[in-house]
Amino acid sequence: MGPWYDEVFADRVRFGLKIRRVLYSGQSDHQKIEILDTEQFGRVLVLDGVFMTSEADEYFYHEMLVHPAMTTAPRIRRVLVIGGGDGGTIREVLRHPEVESAVLVEIDGQVVEVCRQHLASIGTAWDDPRLEVVIGDGVAFAREADVEPFDVILLDGCDPVGPSEGLFNESFFRDCARLLHPDGVFAMQSETPVFMREVFLDIVHTLRRVLGHAWPYFGSVPLYSAGMWTWTFASRTVDPLDLIDERAQRLEAVTRYYNREIHLASLAVPNALKPVL
Ligand code: SPD
């Protein structure tokens, strides 16, 4: 038996993976970084004891964070990703040939280095000439950047503790809104209403105040133990149901989870959440 690695959530839930070995363990200026080789999920990135992504199931999360925004935004020429140091989100962004430039702002350069070395199957687009990687604080970037607006902004953070805490508040969302084209789309991972109901609701309601409209959408990521995961789509003008069919259809040749049916179905709100949404 064993060894096992357990993620413990708020002293209420424990989710464990049997590991073959620890491939990397180190402390950066921001957090503890580990790469585990596991029986079920292959290689897994763990930050401060929380499972982030795995070789086996990362596509559920990354495709759903990226493609609802990228298949509905009228223009997808310029894209900003905040967080996402494993490279999965930017890989999905750069699948779209209409993208001319993409900026990824990751606070922890050590996460990028470790993932490039140990999770190369996830980060397959690091050398794409359209990509600029900025190692720095996404909150400061959003506050200070003086650049042409982005067509799509994607927020790929950890849970709202530690280095990601500042990525969940209204002033940061307002700074992102300033950087977003008037017809742009913002999307972010918005946690699970099963374990983090208030955080989830707060994200949706705050984005509605900031951008006018926000729609949570639902799915599952096998590595995240609550069963239900959410992302939230927000835009001043774009409705997530208005798919650009040609873009979505082209993607379906390569995506492993995302397709047009899943895009539309993911926007259905469970009854228990309807009154609070
Ligand atoms: N509970 C874990 C939430 C992690 C969300 N971000 C994952 C990053 C994958 N690129």
Side-chain angles (χ1 to χ4, degrees), residues 50-53 61-62 86 156-157 159 189 224 229:
V50 180
F51 297 137
M52 287 292 131
T53 198
Y61 175 92
H62 292 123
D86 52 70
D156 182 9
D159 298 329
Q189 75 87 358
Y224 303 162
W229 200 256

Side-chain angles (χ1 to χ4, degrees), residues 47-97:
L47 297 179
D48 281 343
V50 180
F51 297 137
M52 287 292 131
T53 198
S54 82
E55 286 180 318
D57 83 328
E58 56 87 15
Y59 59 93
F60 288 83
Y61 175 92
H62 292 123
E63 292 180 10
M64 287 303 279
L65 171 60
V66 173
H67 297 310
M70 297 294 284
T71 56
T72 52
R75 303 185 326 162
I76 51 172
R77 204 168 54 80
R78 280 174 54 75
V79 179
L80 171 65
V81 174
I82 296 180
D86 52 70
T89 292
I90 203 70
R91 177 200 71 218
E92 292 302 318
V93 166
L94 292 167
R95 283 195 198 287
H96 294 266

Side-chain angles (χ1 to χ4, degrees), residues 182-203:
D183 293 324
V185 175
F186 175 93
M188 66 181 286
Q189 75 87 358
S190 44
E191 301 291 331
T192 169
V194 182
F195 295 164
M196 309 261 266
R197 184 181 162 94
E198 293 314 312
V199 173
F200 159 74
L201 291 174
D202 193 49
I203 290 168

Side-chain angles (χ1 to χ4, degrees), residues 79-216:
V79 179
L80 171 65
V81 174
I82 296 180
D86 52 70
T89 292
I90 203 70
R91 177 200 71 218
E92 292 302 318
V93 166
L94 292 167
R95 283 195 198 287
H96 294 266
E98 297 94 328
V99 175
E100 291 172 11
S101 67
V103 180
L104 179 139
V105 183
E106 164 60 53
I107 196 168
D108 196 339
Q110 204 167 317
V111 168
V112 175
E113 279 168 33
V114 169
C115 290
R116 287 192 75 153
Q117 186 182 347
H118 294 284
L119 293 177
S121 70
I122 295 179
T124 54
W126 289 118
D127 296 323
D128 190 306
R130 295 171 293 171
L131 174 61
E132 177 189 356
V133 177
V134 175
I135 300 301
D137 180 4
V139 174
F141 181 92
R143 192 174 54 235
E144 290 157 16
D146 182 14
V147 291
E148 191 190 330
F150 292 97
D151 303 313
V152 173
I153 298 180
L154 301 167
L155 180 51
D156 182 9
C158 308
D159 298 329
V161 283
S164 276
E165 209 171 342
L167 303 181
F168 288 82
N169 67 53
E170 181 159 346
S171 66
F172 171 67
F173 293 159
R174 289 202 181 277
D175 290 331
C176 288
R178 183 183 64 81
L179 291 180
L180 188 65
H181 188 278
D183 293 324
V185 175
F186 175 93
M188 66 181 286
Q189 75 87 358
S190 44
E191 301 291 331
T192 169
V194 182
F195 295 164
M196 309 261 266
R197 184 181 162 94
E198 293 314 312
V199 173
F200 159 74
L201 291 174
D202 193 49
I203 290 168
V204 178
H205 292 304
T206 307
L207 285 173
R208 283 183 182 155
R209 276 199 303 281
V210 172
L211 282 165
H213 310 277
W215 295 259

